[in-house]
Amino acid sequence: QVQVVDSGGGLVQAGGSLRLSCAASGSIFRINAMGWYRQAPGKQRELVAIMTSGGTTNYADSVKGRFTISRDNAKNTVYLQMNSLKPEDTAVYYCNADIRDSEGYVFRYWGQGTQVTVSS
C-alpha cells in the first residue's frame, strides 16, 4: 500500500507566501517524478510544477519565477514554495508521485488535495 499525503494550504493575502508539502509512504521501491497540479472551480486540473528523480524541473508559465519545487528524496517528500501569490492562484492543489514497485510497475498516486485561497 502506498499513501501520498499533501498539506500546507490555507488563506493568504495577495503577495503572500505558502509552502506546500507532500509525503509518500508505504511499499515504495523508487519514486520517479513528483509534482503538483491544481484545479480551480469550473476549470480543468492543470500542471503547476514537476520534478524528476534526477532534479529536472518543469513549471507552468503562469508560476515561473514565483513558485519553486524541491524534493527530499531521503524522505520521499516534495515541496512547493509559492511566493508572490495572486488571486488567480486560488485552487485545490494536488500532489502526485509516479512510484515504481518492486516488480517494476509504475503507478501514479495522488494526494487528497489542499486548498489554497488568495484574497485580493
Side-chain angles (χ1 to χ4, degrees), residues 37-49:
Y37 286 69
R38 67 186 180 188
Q39 188 166 18
K43 294 188 177 181
Q44 288 190 332
R45 190 173 295 189
E46 62 175 0
L47 172 70
V48 176

Side-chain angles (χ1 to χ4, degrees), residues 68-107:
T68 302
I69 189 170
S70 61
R71 281 175 67 164
D72 184 335
N73 290 327
K75 295 181 179 180
N76 292 333
T77 300
V78 64
Y79 306 96
L80 186 68
Q81 178 66 44
M82 305 186 294
N83 299 328
S84 302
L85 282 160
K86 304 175 181 180
E88 51 263 43
D89 294 318
T90 295
V92 178
Y93 284 68
Y94 297 91
C95 166
N96 75 359
D98 292 337
I99 296 174
R100 192 172 81 176
D101 65 16
S102 59
E103 296 182 357
Y105 295 102
V106 179
F107 299 93

